[in-house]
Amino acid sequence: MAERTISQTETDLIQRAHRVMPGGSLGNIGRDIVITEGSAGRVRDASGNEYVDYLLGSGPMLIGHAHPEVNEVVREQVAKGTTFFANNDQAILLAEELVNAVACADKVRFTSSGTEATFYALRTARAYRKRDKILKFEGGYHGMHDYALMSMSPGAPHDFPRPTPDSAGIPRAIEDEVLIAPFNDLQTARTIIERHHEELGAVIVEPFQRLLPPKPGFLQGIREVTAQHGIPLIFDEVVTGFRFAYGGAQEFYGVEPDMCSLGKVIAGGFPLAAVAGNEELMSHFDASSTETDGFLPQIGTLSGNPVAAAAGLKTLEILRREGTYERIFATGNRLKNELQRMLDEAEIPASVVGEAPLFDVFFTDQEIIDYRSTLLADKQMLARFNELLLARGVLKGDTKFYISLAHTAADVQQTLDAFAAAVDALNS
Ligand SMILES: Cc1ncc(COP(=O)(O)O)c(C=O)c1O
């Protein structure tokens, strides 16, 4: 297969980006690549190179890019108007579908991003509990707000439960409001929760943390100890919602939180996310059903945007069709298993970690179970692997393969050929 060539047009665009954007980027993936179009399981760059796409817009495009049925409802909605601020039919129908599908969802409040959704979920839990501290897990990602950017990727982590801020500019005071526990270590997490239960307003967790599946009993144990002390448990399902199962990770792993955040898939590639939760917690958004000091105003110009809601509704309808999840899981399992087999045969110490719809490889012989074990993996080798795949027409995120319903047998074959060539190159 031809190596990737970069045209003058793409080079010019990259230079222009560096002139007007910090770091020459949107802040997302680090590579100098300009994507100009996507269709089904593939994208194309400004040089005309085509890639099988496992970046999938960082996850929203579960059913593939530019799905004709989604495009049709989007065009219809655009012709009728793109935003109203007032209630709109598409947002109401989408809220109804989220309540039907997601076990913990009695009510839904829309936001524009997953960051806002986790931010409001935490604020709601604190309003309900009338306590300020939150507990999150080391390595867990909940977006970019001040509480989320605590021990998300600490280079030199403090001892538990002391947080390490991940960004400049976060007020020092926030560090006193966040406790950190190790993912997949129920005993330590339980001890921290029990020691601090009087101060805790919420526990937030990605039920599948980045790429780490929960150990059997971990989520159940966290559910038990939070319920015992009346602390709201929030599942951040921005990634896992409608991806691991129609009802999300709470269905897939069989544990129901009190609230969850949703995003990515539910908006079909547009900016929309949501907080969903039980009746009591969600009543804090309603001035008429909560005490005055318990009211939580939540306003966003584009919240529940009708174009995004229409795209999300159609995406969910497509996901409800016979055999969709079987297909996503079959594609993901094939790629996961084949990659692990090739690495084993080449005697490269590595493990492919995750679930079928979302996984990646860690270049280490250590078991990957929590954030600190992920630090043992060889990041440079992963970066090289990613570059080798890119040169062979396979695009992925820096640390993720997202699988799409739209990936075809030809896409999978091209990927397997790229895996074989990349594993070969890593070994030489
Ligand atoms: C688990 C999780 N929570 C929250 C977010 C933040 O969502 P957004 O990028 O829409 O702000 C992300 C984004 O990737 C995420 O993966």
Side-chain angles (χ1 to χ4, degrees):
M1 185 174 304
E3 294 280 302
R4 178 175 178 244
T5 52
I6 302 180
S7 67
Q8 194 54 47
T9 310
E10 188 166 12
T11 304
D12 288 348
L13 279 167
I14 291 166
Q15 280 168 0
R16 288 165 77 168
H18 279 275
R19 273 197 293 275
V20 292
M21 294 151 79
S25 86
L26 298 171
N28 295 331
I29 63 167
R31 292 186 210 128
D32 272 336
I33 185 169
V34 180
I35 302 295
T36 50
E37 49 187 296
S39 173
R42 292 184 176 235
V43 290
R44 198 183 278 258
D45 67 20
S47 304
N49 299 302
E50 194 173 280
Y51 306 90
V52 181
D53 182 27
Y54 296 98
L55 179 56
L56 294 183
S58 190
M61 310 319 295
L62 179 60
I63 62 164
H65 293 279
H67 193 290
E69 292 178 67
V70 174
N71 280 357
E72 191 184 328
V73 296
V74 164
R75 270 194 297 270
E76 275 170 23
Q77 186 57 50
V78 167
K80 290 195 236 165
T82 54
T83 198
F84 309 115
F85 201 63
N87 274 357
N88 66 78
D89 54 346
Q90 299 302 309
I92 294 167
L93 297 178
L94 180 60
E96 213 168 65
E97 189 49 36
L98 299 182
V99 167
N100 287 339
V102 178
C104 78
D106 292 335
K107 291 235 161 79
V108 172
R109 189 41 89 82
F110 289 114
T111 62
S112 295
S113 70
T115 293
E116 290 168 90
T118 64
F119 174 81
Y120 283 114
L122 291 170
R123 185 182 280 175
T124 310
R126 287 198 304 265
Y128 165 82
R129 262 286 277 181
K130 298 186 166 64
R131 313 281 210 291
D132 286 348
K133 283 199 200 312
I134 64 147
L135 181 137
K136 76 176 282 288
F137 290 85
E138 188 174 67
Y141 182 57
H142 306 295
M144 285 280 134
H145 55 78
D146 289 353
Y147 298 92
L149 284 178
M150 288 288 164
S151 294
M152 184 260 287
S153 58
H158 293 128
D159 291 341
F160 299 113
R162 189 176 153 205
T164 311
D166 297 292
S167 169
I170 297 178
R172 169 69 190 80
I174 302 286
E175 286 173 50
D176 297 334
E177 306 303 343
V178 180
L179 301 173
I180 305 297
F183 188 74
N184 267 339
D185 178 348
L186 180 57
Q187 202 179 334
T188 306
R190 184 184 275 145
T191 305
I192 297 170
I193 292 168
E194 282 177 343
R195 193 168 296 151
H196 294 272
H197 73 92
E198 285 291 358
E199 310 163 281
L200 274 171
V203 170
I204 187 166
V205 63
E206 282 186 272
F208 168 89
Q209 184 174 292
R210 306 286 75 204
L211 292 165
L212 308 172
K215 280 186 179 169
F218 175 71
L219 294 175
Q220 288 81 353
I222 298 296
R223 174 66 289 184
E224 255 168 49
V225 66
T226 47
Q228 209 177 332
H229 295 291
I231 304 165
L233 175 63
I234 302 162
F235 275 7
D236 182 351
E237 294 237 39
V238 168
V239 164
T240 51
F242 294 89
R243 187 184 312 279
F244 281 20
Y246 195 69
Q250 49 198 285
E251 177 184 318
F252 189 69
Y253 295 121
V255 178
E256 191 179 319
D258 302 298
M259 288 191 103
C260 71
S261 49
L262 295 162
K264 299 200 192 263
V265 174
I266 66 163
F270 287 82
L272 174 146
V275 190
N278 71 35
E279 193 73 52
E280 212 176 347
L281 282 156
M282 296 302 287
S283 71
H284 286 274
F285 289 112
D286 179 1
S288 68
S289 63
T290 188
E291 298 156 22
T292 317
D293 68 353
F295 176 52
L296 200 155
Q298 188 270 332
I299 297 170
T301 303
L302 294 174
S303 295
N305 174 265
V307 182
L313 263 175
K314 182 54 79 176
T315 298
L316 300 192
E317 184 197 313
I318 291 164
L319 287 172
R320 286 197 301 279
R321 290 177 191 161
E322 190 77 28
T324 48
Y325 288 93
E326 287 83 348
R327 185 185 161 109
I328 293 164
F329 274 72
T331 304
N333 278 325
R334 171 121 195 265
L335 291 171
K336 261 181 87 187
N337 296 340
E338 284 295 297
L339 178 55
Q340 185 68 66
R341 187 187 60 73
M342 290 179 204
L343 291 161
D344 290 347
E345 278 179 10
E347 296 182 10
I348 297 174
S351 44
V352 180
V353 175
E355 305 283 5
L358 174 55
F359 59 88
D360 208 347
V361 57
F362 288 89
F363 289 98
T364 170
D365 56 4
Q366 304 292 306
E367 195 190 3
I368 300 290
I369 46 159
D370 57 14
Y371 172 74
R372 292 186 192 191
S373 56
T374 66
L375 297 180
L376 303 172
D378 185 337
K379 287 202 179 64
Q380 274 161 5
M381 191 133 163
L382 177 61
R384 181 140 177 262
F385 179 66
N386 293 344
E387 287 307 316
L388 287 163
L389 293 182
L390 192 71
R392 286 158 183 79
V394 172
L395 175 68
K396 66 182 282 281
D398 294 340
T399 56
K400 281 191 187 78
F401 280 96
Y402 274 112
I403 301 304
S404 166
L405 180 65
H407 285 135
T408 62
D411 295 336
V412 169
Q413 193 52 54
Q414 181 175 332
T415 310
L416 293 175
D417 293 345
F419 283 172
V423 169
D424 229 36
L426 287 179
N427 229 5
S428 56

PDB file of all heavy atoms in Angstrom, residues 58 112-118 140-144 206 208 210 236-240 261 263-264 272-273 400 402, ligand 1:
ATOM      1  N   SER A  58     -13.897  11.097  17.928  1.00  0.00           N
ATOM      2  CA  SER A  58     -13.779  10.787  19.353  1.00  0.00           C
ATOM      3  C   SER A  58     -15.053  10.125  19.883  1.00  0.00           C
ATOM      4  O   SER A  58     -15.442  10.333  21.028  1.00  0.00           O
ATOM      5  CB  SER A  58     -13.417  12.029  20.187  1.00  0.00           C
ATOM      6  OG  SER A  58     -13.087  11.627  21.497  1.00  0.00           O
ATOM      7  N   SER A 112     -24.772  21.359  26.087  1.00  0.00           N
ATOM      8  CA  SER A 112     -24.142  21.295  24.759  1.00  0.00           C
ATOM      9  C   SER A 112     -22.943  20.371  24.721  1.00  0.00           C
ATOM     10  O   SER A 112     -22.530  19.934  23.657  1.00  0.00           O
ATOM     11  CB  SER A 112     -23.688  22.688  24.310  1.00  0.00           C
ATOM     12  OG  SER A 112     -24.807  23.515  24.128  1.00  0.00           O
ATOM     13  N   SER A 113     -22.339  20.093  25.888  1.00  0.00           N
ATOM     14  CA  SER A 113     -21.140  19.243  25.892  1.00  0.00           C
ATOM     15  C   SER A 113     -21.170  18.293  27.085  1.00  0.00           C
ATOM     16  O   SER A 113     -21.884  18.522  28.075  1.00  0.00           O
ATOM     17  CB  SER A 113     -19.882  20.113  25.987  1.00  0.00           C
ATOM     18  OG  SER A 113     -19.811  20.694  27.274  1.00  0.00           O
ATOM     19  N   GLY A 114     -20.348  17.246  26.980  1.00  0.00           N
ATOM     20  CA  GLY A 114     -20.208  16.294  28.079  1.00  0.00           C
ATOM     21  C   GLY A 114     -19.593  16.940  29.314  1.00  0.00           C
ATOM     22  O   GLY A 114     -19.910  16.581  30.440  1.00  0.00           O
ATOM     23  N   THR A 115     -18.707  17.895  29.091  1.00  0.00           N
ATOM     24  CA  THR A 115     -18.107  18.623  30.211  1.00  0.00           C
ATOM     25  C   THR A 115     -19.175  19.279  31.064  1.00  0.00           C
ATOM     26  O   THR A 115     -19.189  19.154  32.295  1.00  0.00           O
ATOM     27  CB  THR A 115     -17.140  19.714  29.677  1.00  0.00           C
ATOM     28  OG1 THR A 115     -16.036  19.071  29.060  1.00  0.00           O
ATOM     29  CG2 THR A 115     -16.644  20.628  30.774  1.00  0.00           C
ATOM     30  N   GLU A 116     -20.094  19.967  30.391  1.00  0.00           N
ATOM     31  CA  GLU A 116     -21.185  20.607  31.141  1.00  0.00           C
ATOM     32  C   GLU A 116     -22.065  19.564  31.828  1.00  0.00           C
ATOM     33  O   GLU A 116     -22.553  19.791  32.936  1.00  0.00           O
ATOM     34  CB  GLU A 116     -22.081  21.396  30.192  1.00  0.00           C
ATOM     35  CG  GLU A 116     -21.486  22.633  29.613  1.00  0.00           C
ATOM     36  CD  GLU A 116     -22.398  23.113  28.495  1.00  0.00           C
ATOM     37  OE1 GLU A 116     -23.310  23.900  28.767  1.00  0.00           O
ATOM     38  OE2 GLU A 116     -22.206  22.668  27.347  1.00  0.00           O
ATOM     39  N   ALA A 117     -22.270  18.437  31.162  1.00  0.00           N
ATOM     40  CA  ALA A 117     -23.160  17.408  31.737  1.00  0.00           C
ATOM     41  C   ALA A 117     -22.588  16.883  33.056  1.00  0.00           C
ATOM     42  O   ALA A 117     -23.312  16.765  34.055  1.00  0.00           O
ATOM     43  CB  ALA A 117     -23.370  16.274  30.737  1.00  0.00           C
ATOM     44  N   THR A 118     -21.284  16.584  33.098  1.00  0.00           N
ATOM     45  CA  THR A 118     -20.719  16.063  34.366  1.00  0.00           C
ATOM     46  C   THR A 118     -20.665  17.179  35.411  1.00  0.00           C
ATOM     47  O   THR A 118     -20.870  16.942  36.598  1.00  0.00           O
ATOM     48  CB  THR A 118     -19.313  15.454  34.171  1.00  0.00           C
ATOM     49  OG1 THR A 118     -18.398  16.459  33.764  1.00  0.00           O
ATOM     50  CG2 THR A 118     -19.320  14.330  33.165  1.00  0.00           C
ATOM     51  N   GLY A 140      -9.687   8.904  35.690  1.00  0.00           N
ATOM     52  CA  GLY A 140     -11.028   9.069  35.124  1.00  0.00           C
ATOM     53  C   GLY A 140     -11.138  10.414  34.435  1.00  0.00           C
ATOM     54  O   GLY A 140     -10.625  11.413  34.939  1.00  0.00           O
ATOM     55  N   TYR A 141     -11.804  10.425  33.281  1.00  0.00           N
ATOM     56  CA  TYR A 141     -11.964  11.657  32.507  1.00  0.00           C
ATOM     57  C   TYR A 141     -13.429  12.058  32.507  1.00  0.00           C
ATOM     58  O   TYR A 141     -14.296  11.255  32.139  1.00  0.00           O
ATOM     59  CB  TYR A 141     -11.469  11.433  31.069  1.00  0.00           C
ATOM     60  CG  TYR A 141     -11.552  12.676  30.217  1.00  0.00           C
ATOM     61  CD1 TYR A 141     -10.904  13.839  30.601  1.00  0.00           C
ATOM     62  CD2 TYR A 141     -12.277  12.692  29.024  1.00  0.00           C
ATOM     63  CE1 TYR A 141     -10.976  14.992  29.833  1.00  0.00           C
ATOM     64  CE2 TYR A 141     -12.346  13.834  28.243  1.00  0.00           C
ATOM     65  CZ  TYR A 141     -11.697  14.982  28.653  1.00  0.00           C
ATOM     66  OH  TYR A 141     -11.768  16.118  27.887  1.00  0.00           O
ATOM     67  N   HIS A 142     -13.688  13.290  32.932  1.00  0.00           N
ATOM     68  CA  HIS A 142     -15.071  13.769  32.955  1.00  0.00           C
ATOM     69  C   HIS A 142     -15.196  15.120  32.274  1.00  0.00           C
ATOM     70  O   HIS A 142     -16.078  15.912  32.615  1.00  0.00           O
ATOM     71  CB  HIS A 142     -15.575  13.844  34.408  1.00  0.00           C
ATOM     72  CG  HIS A 142     -15.427  12.556  35.158  1.00  0.00           C
ATOM     73  ND1 HIS A 142     -16.118  11.411  34.808  1.00  0.00           N
ATOM     74  CD2 HIS A 142     -14.634  12.209  36.206  1.00  0.00           C
ATOM     75  CE1 HIS A 142     -15.761  10.427  35.623  1.00  0.00           C
ATOM     76  NE2 HIS A 142     -14.865  10.872  36.474  1.00  0.00           N
ATOM     77  N   GLY A 143     -14.291  15.395  31.333  1.00  0.00           N
ATOM     78  CA  GLY A 143     -14.333  16.670  30.640  1.00  0.00           C
ATOM     79  C   GLY A 143     -13.319  17.636  31.210  1.00  0.00           C
ATOM     80  O   GLY A 143     -12.319  17.228  31.810  1.00  0.00           O
ATOM     81  N   MET A 144     -13.570  18.915  31.019  1.00  0.00           N
ATOM     82  CA  MET A 144     -12.516  19.919  31.199  1.00  0.00           C
ATOM     83  C   MET A 144     -12.792  20.927  32.312  1.00  0.00           C
ATOM     84  O   MET A 144     -12.092  21.927  32.416  1.00  0.00           O
ATOM     85  CB  MET A 144     -12.338  20.670  29.876  1.00  0.00           C
ATOM     86  CG  MET A 144     -11.600  19.848  28.837  1.00  0.00           C
ATOM     87  SD  MET A 144      -9.808  19.912  29.136  1.00  0.00           S
ATOM     88  CE  MET A 144      -9.349  18.210  28.968  1.00  0.00           C
ATOM     89  N   GLU A 206     -16.361   6.721  35.696  1.00  0.00           N
ATOM     90  CA  GLU A 206     -16.600   6.171  34.361  1.00  0.00           C
ATOM     91  C   GLU A 206     -16.736   4.669  34.584  1.00  0.00           C
ATOM     92  O   GLU A 206     -15.751   4.036  35.003  1.00  0.00           O
ATOM     93  CB  GLU A 206     -15.385   6.384  33.465  1.00  0.00           C
ATOM     94  CG  GLU A 206     -15.189   7.755  32.896  1.00  0.00           C
ATOM     95  CD  GLU A 206     -14.006   7.734  31.923  1.00  0.00           C
ATOM     96  OE1 GLU A 206     -12.867   7.922  32.370  1.00  0.00           O
ATOM     97  OE2 GLU A 206     -14.227   7.513  30.726  1.00  0.00           O
ATOM     98  N   PHE A 208     -16.617   2.237  32.716  1.00  0.00           N
ATOM     99  CA  PHE A 208     -15.504   1.652  31.945  1.00  0.00           C
ATOM    100  C   PHE A 208     -14.529   2.813  31.840  1.00  0.00           C
ATOM    101  O   PHE A 208     -14.776   3.764  31.099  1.00  0.00           O
ATOM    102  CB  PHE A 208     -16.046   1.215  30.585  1.00  0.00           C
ATOM    103  CG  PHE A 208     -15.018   0.856  29.547  1.00  0.00           C
ATOM    104  CD1 PHE A 208     -14.528  -0.430  29.436  1.00  0.00           C
ATOM    105  CD2 PHE A 208     -14.583   1.811  28.621  1.00  0.00           C
ATOM    106  CE1 PHE A 208     -13.609  -0.766  28.433  1.00  0.00           C
ATOM    107  CE2 PHE A 208     -13.676   1.488  27.622  1.00  0.00           C
ATOM    108  CZ  PHE A 208     -13.191   0.196  27.536  1.00  0.00           C
ATOM    109  N   ARG A 210     -11.837   4.996  30.728  1.00  0.00           N
ATOM    110  CA  ARG A 210     -10.974   5.154  29.549  1.00  0.00           C
ATOM    111  C   ARG A 210     -10.961   3.877  28.717  1.00  0.00           C
ATOM    112  O   ARG A 210     -11.725   3.719  27.844  1.00  0.00           O
ATOM    113  CB  ARG A 210      -9.547   5.588  29.919  1.00  0.00           C
ATOM    114  CG  ARG A 210      -9.447   6.849  30.790  1.00  0.00           C
ATOM    115  CD  ARG A 210      -9.734   8.119  30.034  1.00  0.00           C
ATOM    116  NE  ARG A 210     -11.166   8.268  29.779  1.00  0.00           N
ATOM    117  CZ  ARG A 210     -11.688   8.985  28.798  1.00  0.00           C
ATOM    118  NH1 ARG A 210     -10.916   9.592  27.956  1.00  0.00           N
ATOM    119  NH2 ARG A 210     -12.979   9.096  28.659  1.00  0.00           N
ATOM    120  N   ASP A 236     -20.483   8.403  34.605  1.00  0.00           N
ATOM    121  CA  ASP A 236     -20.225   9.222  33.433  1.00  0.00           C
ATOM    122  C   ASP A 236     -20.292   8.297  32.224  1.00  0.00           C
ATOM    123  O   ASP A 236     -19.374   7.511  31.961  1.00  0.00           O
ATOM    124  CB  ASP A 236     -18.851   9.891  33.555  1.00  0.00           C
ATOM    125  CG  ASP A 236     -18.558  10.803  32.378  1.00  0.00           C
ATOM    126  OD1 ASP A 236     -19.343  10.785  31.406  1.00  0.00           O
ATOM    127  OD2 ASP A 236     -17.549  11.519  32.425  1.00  0.00           O
ATOM    128  N   GLU A 237     -21.428   8.403  31.506  1.00  0.00           N
ATOM    129  CA  GLU A 237     -21.679   7.524  30.351  1.00  0.00           C
ATOM    130  C   GLU A 237     -21.551   8.304  29.035  1.00  0.00           C
ATOM    131  O   GLU A 237     -22.169   7.931  28.043  1.00  0.00           O
ATOM    132  CB  GLU A 237     -23.066   6.889  30.469  1.00  0.00           C
ATOM    133  CG  GLU A 237     -23.200   5.918  31.643  1.00  0.00           C
ATOM    134  CD  GLU A 237     -23.639   4.528  31.193  1.00  0.00           C
ATOM    135  OE1 GLU A 237     -23.177   4.060  30.127  1.00  0.00           O
ATOM    136  OE2 GLU A 237     -24.456   3.935  31.913  1.00  0.00           O
ATOM    137  N   VAL A 238     -20.766   9.368  29.048  1.00  0.00           N
ATOM    138  CA  VAL A 238     -20.578  10.140  27.814  1.00  0.00           C
ATOM    139  C   VAL A 238     -20.012   9.234  26.715  1.00  0.00           C
ATOM    140  O   VAL A 238     -20.434   9.303  25.563  1.00  0.00           O
ATOM    141  CB  VAL A 238     -19.670  11.370  28.075  1.00  0.00           C
ATOM    142  CG1 VAL A 238     -19.211  12.011  26.772  1.00  0.00           C
ATOM    143  CG2 VAL A 238     -20.408  12.399  28.931  1.00  0.00           C
ATOM    144  N   VAL A 239     -19.095   8.344  27.093  1.00  0.00           N
ATOM    145  CA  VAL A 239     -18.518   7.413  26.116  1.00  0.00           C
ATOM    146  C   VAL A 239     -19.373   6.153  25.959  1.00  0.00           C
ATOM    147  O   VAL A 239     -19.634   5.692  24.851  1.00  0.00           O
ATOM    148  CB  VAL A 239     -17.084   7.020  26.546  1.00  0.00           C
ATOM    149  CG1 VAL A 239     -16.600   5.780  25.809  1.00  0.00           C
ATOM    150  CG2 VAL A 239     -16.130   8.174  26.280  1.00  0.00           C
ATOM    151  N   THR A 240     -19.791   5.586  27.082  1.00  0.00           N
ATOM    152  CA  THR A 240     -20.393   4.243  27.050  1.00  0.00           C
ATOM    153  C   THR A 240     -21.883   4.242  26.707  1.00  0.00           C
ATOM    154  O   THR A 240     -22.411   3.220  26.263  1.00  0.00           O
ATOM    155  CB  THR A 240     -20.207   3.551  28.417  1.00  0.00           C
ATOM    156  OG1 THR A 240     -20.671   4.450  29.450  1.00  0.00           O
ATOM    157  CG2 THR A 240     -18.750   3.219  28.680  1.00  0.00           C
ATOM    158  N   SER A 261     -24.264  11.025  33.092  1.00  0.00           N
ATOM    159  CA  SER A 261     -24.076  12.002  32.026  1.00  0.00           C
ATOM    160  C   SER A 261     -24.052  11.227  30.720  1.00  0.00           C
ATOM    161  O   SER A 261     -23.588  10.077  30.679  1.00  0.00           O
ATOM    162  CB  SER A 261     -22.758  12.751  32.214  1.00  0.00           C
ATOM    163  OG  SER A 261     -21.717  11.831  32.452  1.00  0.00           O
ATOM    164  N   GLY A 263     -23.576  11.786  26.243  1.00  0.00           N
ATOM    165  CA  GLY A 263     -23.110  12.720  25.206  1.00  0.00           C
ATOM    166  C   GLY A 263     -22.785  11.917  23.964  1.00  0.00           C
ATOM    167  O   GLY A 263     -23.339  10.846  23.736  1.00  0.00           O
ATOM    168  N   LYS A 264     -21.879  12.402  23.175  1.00  0.00           N
ATOM    169  CA  LYS A 264     -21.370  11.702  21.980  1.00  0.00           C
ATOM    170  C   LYS A 264     -22.485  11.067  21.143  1.00  0.00           C
ATOM    171  O   LYS A 264     -23.084  11.738  20.317  1.00  0.00           O
ATOM    172  CB  LYS A 264     -20.298  10.691  22.379  1.00  0.00           C
ATOM    173  CG  LYS A 264     -19.097  11.393  23.068  1.00  0.00           C
ATOM    174  CD  LYS A 264     -17.836  10.570  23.061  1.00  0.00           C
ATOM    175  CE  LYS A 264     -16.769  11.117  23.978  1.00  0.00           C
ATOM    176  NZ  LYS A 264     -15.771  11.942  23.362  1.00  0.00           N
ATOM    177  N   LEU A 272     -24.412  18.201  21.587  1.00  0.00           N
ATOM    178  CA  LEU A 272     -25.501  18.037  22.554  1.00  0.00           C
ATOM    179  C   LEU A 272     -25.098  16.948  23.533  1.00  0.00           C
ATOM    180  O   LEU A 272     -24.452  15.966  23.152  1.00  0.00           O
ATOM    181  CB  LEU A 272     -26.793  17.647  21.830  1.00  0.00           C
ATOM    182  CG  LEU A 272     -28.026  17.282  22.663  1.00  0.00           C
ATOM    183  CD1 LEU A 272     -29.306  17.729  21.951  1.00  0.00           C
ATOM    184  CD2 LEU A 272     -28.102  15.787  22.955  1.00  0.00           C
ATOM    185  N   ALA A 273     -25.422  17.140  24.791  1.00  0.00           N
ATOM    186  CA  ALA A 273     -25.167  16.130  25.826  1.00  0.00           C
ATOM    187  C   ALA A 273     -26.296  16.248  26.845  1.00  0.00           C
ATOM    188  O   ALA A 273     -27.207  17.080  26.670  1.00  0.00           O
ATOM    189  CB  ALA A 273     -23.798  16.362  26.464  1.00  0.00           C
ATOM    190  N   LYS A 400      -6.994   5.188  21.438  1.00  0.00           N
ATOM    191  CA  LYS A 400      -8.294   4.491  21.335  1.00  0.00           C
ATOM    192  C   LYS A 400      -8.602   4.011  19.923  1.00  0.00           C
ATOM    193  O   LYS A 400      -8.344   4.730  18.963  1.00  0.00           O
ATOM    194  CB  LYS A 400      -9.430   5.435  21.726  1.00  0.00           C
ATOM    195  CG  LYS A 400      -9.622   5.624  23.192  1.00  0.00           C
ATOM    196  CD  LYS A 400     -10.926   6.367  23.464  1.00  0.00           C
ATOM    197  CE  LYS A 400     -11.041   6.696  24.915  1.00  0.00           C
ATOM    198  NZ  LYS A 400     -10.238   7.847  25.289  1.00  0.00           N
ATOM    199  N   TYR A 402     -12.160   3.279  18.287  1.00  0.00           N
ATOM    200  CA  TYR A 402     -13.624   3.257  18.386  1.00  0.00           C
ATOM    201  C   TYR A 402     -14.156   2.472  17.192  1.00  0.00           C
ATOM    202  O   TYR A 402     -13.791   2.774  16.039  1.00  0.00           O
ATOM    203  CB  TYR A 402     -14.188   4.673  18.286  1.00  0.00           C
ATOM    204  CG  TYR A 402     -14.259   5.444  19.575  1.00  0.00           C
ATOM    205  CD1 TYR A 402     -13.449   6.546  19.791  1.00  0.00           C
ATOM    206  CD2 TYR A 402     -15.182   5.111  20.562  1.00  0.00           C
ATOM    207  CE1 TYR A 402     -13.541   7.292  20.962  1.00  0.00           C
ATOM    208  CE2 TYR A 402     -15.278   5.856  21.731  1.00  0.00           C
ATOM    209  CZ  TYR A 402     -14.461   6.945  21.924  1.00  0.00           C
ATOM    210  OH  TYR A 402     -14.561   7.680  23.073  1.00  0.00           O
TER     211      TYR A 402
HETATM  212  C1  LIG B   1     -16.163  10.003  29.876  1.00  0.00           C
HETATM  213  C2  LIG B   1     -16.209  11.406  29.336  1.00  0.00           C
HETATM  214  N1  LIG B   1     -16.835  12.341  30.048  1.00  0.00           N
HETATM  215  C3  LIG B   1     -16.932  13.610  29.621  1.00  0.00           C
HETATM  216  C4  LIG B   1     -16.383  13.993  28.428  1.00  0.00           C
HETATM  217  C5  LIG B   1     -16.467  15.425  27.975  1.00  0.00           C
HETATM  218  O1  LIG B   1     -17.322  15.533  26.891  1.00  0.00           O
HETATM  219  P1  LIG B   1     -17.153  16.783  25.889  1.00  0.00           P
HETATM  220  O2  LIG B   1     -15.884  16.577  25.122  1.00  0.00           O
HETATM  221  O3  LIG B   1     -18.399  16.713  25.056  1.00  0.00           O
HETATM  222  O4  LIG B   1     -17.112  18.006  26.749  1.00  0.00           O
HETATM  223  C6  LIG B   1     -15.728  13.048  27.637  1.00  0.00           C
HETATM  224  C7  LIG B   1     -15.133  13.424  26.339  1.00  0.00           C
HETATM  225  O5  LIG B   1     -14.444  12.679  25.695  1.00  0.00           O
HETATM  226  C8  LIG B   1     -15.618  11.720  28.108  1.00  0.00           C
HETATM  227  O6  LIG B   1     -14.945  10.790  27.413  1.00  0.00           O
END
